[in-house]
Amino acid sequence: MPRNRSNARKPLRSRLSRGAWGAVLTTALVISGSLTAYAGYLDVYGNLSQESVDTDAFGDRPSKVEGAVNIMLIGSDVRSGDNGNYGKSEGERPDSLVIAHISPNQDGATLINLPRDSVVDLPACEPADDKPGMQAQRGMINSAMSLGGVPCQWKAVEQLTGIHIDHFVSIDFTGFKDIVDSIDGVDMCIPEPIDDDKAHLKLGAGRQTLSGEEALGYVRSRYGQGDGSDISRIDRQQEFMGAMLKKVMSGDTMQSPTNLYGFLKSTADTITTDDELTLTKMTDLSIAMREVDMGQIKFVTVPNGPDPADPNRIAWTEPDAGQLFKAVAEDTKIDAGEKKGGEGKKGGGGGGGGKSEKPTVPAEQVTVEVVNGTEVSGLANEVSEKLGGEGFSVAGTGNPNGEVPSTTTVYYGPGQKEHAKTVAASAKDAKVEENPALGTTVQLVIAGDWDGMDGGQGGGVPDSAKGKTAADAKDACG
């Protein structure tokens, strides 16, 4: 039987490695593969470390939707015990912060990644154990964990997103490696050689099976791959977790109670949960999710852009982020599938529409002026703020001097067509048109057909929040 669990706070182990949070969802899914091995699950549950969190102390909380479960997956750079081989790190700032939204009502699950570099308005938190607590402040989202522990991070996530969080789960570096090794590695294709000393990773190019140690380095690697950004790393983590889920759900793990038990035990030995996440609740979740299809497991990153005050930090793009959170909070169906540069949208008249092709110039290299050709007061300022949040340099706003086009249009000067396409990709259904009188600043003229930023003000989940599913997550070679 599970050991007795009091309300006493228990030490929180070293937490989730970068990207290891996906294994938590995997666990929830594969438990359903063999509920007949109930005695084994009791033993697995007995290996969990648990912590009491007083959510009543949070004050007003978001409403809970019956049937849906939201689990906060957290991780940090704290390194102790077997994890000490991965260097030293001060404090307990999570490197990974994810909301796992499990929805039997929608027959699936969505993992929403909240980048650690996000700058947000954090709520005040009381001191907890050896944590000093904090006053309400603007700072990086993972500061809450450092200053107030799990309860403070939980409270911050709820207040920032409006999503009712039911439980939390964490996994440490060693646990992630053990999970990967328990399924005999994960197949990935590495397009280019990787040499990243910070992530303890050196891989040649080509298709290969990553061991637990290699997989840990792969999902931790930041500066040895891509552009070195946290967003780029999150994309790779999602691809890896998609490949891992496919292997678990289609391989021998699901076919044998013995294999399943070994997999679950390797997870349980190294995870920490709140003490309200009981075996009964885990089993109920598993029953509800056992018929889940890989196409219904979605990976999403909150819509974001550079923080206007610090381009090395991240600001959540509104209203897109708010629409995503609202959909999760209300358990609304969230479509997924990688966005293809505006495919399926109209546009493209008057000089070559930019909506049918993926932009080739990044927003950070585009300077745009916003002109309000409608009767909606303040619309140019509103749009310019959103463009600034996406990384564009906004030269100014104003009202039109002459005739307003019937269709929202991005005008560009010589050599600036690709820059105009980038703006058009963010301005829903805009077309692009050349104006030889313009210089290097493109001009967005908002007309009467304005329908918000791409995927924005029409309601529902914005296109910028639609990521990938476990079914269509490709390995790195495509």
Side-chain angles (χ1 to χ4, degrees), residues 302-314:
V302 60
N304 65 83
D307 180 33
D310 183 352
N312 294 316
R313 296 289 180 251
I314 289 171

Side-chain angles (χ1 to χ4, degrees), residues 34-174:
S34 181
L35 291 174
T36 57
Y38 189 71
Y41 298 128
L42 287 175
D43 185 40
V44 167
Y45 183 69
N47 288 319
L48 295 176
S49 177
Q50 295 195 307
E51 177 178 343
S52 177
V53 178
D54 182 13
T55 54
D56 291 339
F58 296 174
D60 292 336
R61 301 181 64 199
S63 299
K64 176 175 174 57
V65 175
E66 190 66 28
V69 177
N70 299 308
I71 301 175
M72 180 176 68
L73 311 177
I74 57 178
S76 80
D77 256 347
V78 171
R79 296 169 171 91
S80 60
D82 292 340
N83 301 304
N85 295 327
Y86 299 99
K88 297 181 179 180
S89 180
E90 298 180 1
E92 292 186 86
R93 296 187 176 219
D95 261 337
S96 299
L97 186 60
V98 176
I99 299 173
H101 174 66
I102 301 172
S103 175
N105 297 330
Q106 303 296 336
D107 298 323
T110 303
L111 278 77
I112 305 100
N113 201 304
L114 310 178
R116 66 172 188 171
D117 291 344
S118 300
V119 177
V120 295
D121 293 321
L122 297 167
C125 291
E126 296 295 325
D129 290 343
D130 59 340
K131 303 295 191 300
M134 67 178 185
Q135 296 180 339
Q137 58 186 276
R138 186 163 180 81
M140 288 176 60
I141 192 170
N142 58 4
S143 298
M145 183 77 174
S146 176
L147 299 174
V150 172
C152 188
Q153 192 70 72
W154 190 324
K155 177 182 178 181
V157 169
E158 282 200 341
Q159 293 196 11
L160 288 166
T161 65
I163 297 170
H164 182 97
I165 301 298
D166 299 286
H167 305 288
F168 87 88
V169 178
S170 67
I171 304 179
D172 64 22
F173 286 172
T174 302

Side-chain angles (χ1 to χ4, degrees), residues 210-369:
L210 302 188
S211 66
E213 186 74 39
E214 292 167 335
L216 176 61
Y218 183 79
V219 298
R220 291 182 62 222
S221 177
R222 179 167 179 171
Y223 301 104
Q225 303 181 69
D227 60 8
S229 71
D230 195 37
I231 300 301
S232 176
R233 184 179 63 180
I234 287 171
D235 287 341
R236 290 192 299 274
Q237 290 172 355
Q238 292 172 343
E239 297 286 4
F240 179 86
M241 289 307 154
M244 182 175 177
L245 278 167
K246 286 180 182 178
K247 182 163 186 178
V248 170
M249 297 300 287
S250 62
D252 292 338
T253 301
M254 292 292 289
Q255 307 304 318
S256 163
T258 301
N259 293 342
L260 181 61
Y261 171 76
F263 174 78
L264 294 178
K265 194 172 187 303
S266 71
T267 304
D269 284 342
T270 49
I271 73 173
T272 301
T273 73
D274 60 283
D275 58 6
E276 295 297 319
L277 186 54
T278 64
L279 179 63
T280 298
K281 290 181 180 178
M282 291 181 187
T283 305
D284 288 344
L285 275 176
S286 302
I287 293 172
M289 293 291 292
R290 63 181 163 187
E291 299 300 329
V292 72
D293 181 86
M294 290 295 96
Q296 291 303 107
I297 302 175
K298 310 171 185 71
F299 299 97
V300 178
T301 302
V302 60
N304 65 83
D307 180 33
D310 183 352
N312 294 316
R313 296 289 180 251
I314 289 171
W316 294 349
T317 303
E318 296 295 351
D320 298 35
Q323 289 173 352
L324 171 63
F325 296 146
K326 184 174 185 291
V328 174
E330 297 178 354
D331 196 24
T332 301
K333 184 176 181 180
I334 300 175
D335 295 326
E338 295 183 83
K339 187 178 174 184
K340 303 296 183 183
E343 287 179 6
K345 296 182 182 294
K346 66 183 178 181
K355 300 294 282 186
S356 61
E357 302 175 11
K358 186 175 181 178
T360 60
V361 177
E364 291 77 12
Q365 296 180 15
V366 180
T367 302
V368 57
E369 177 189 16

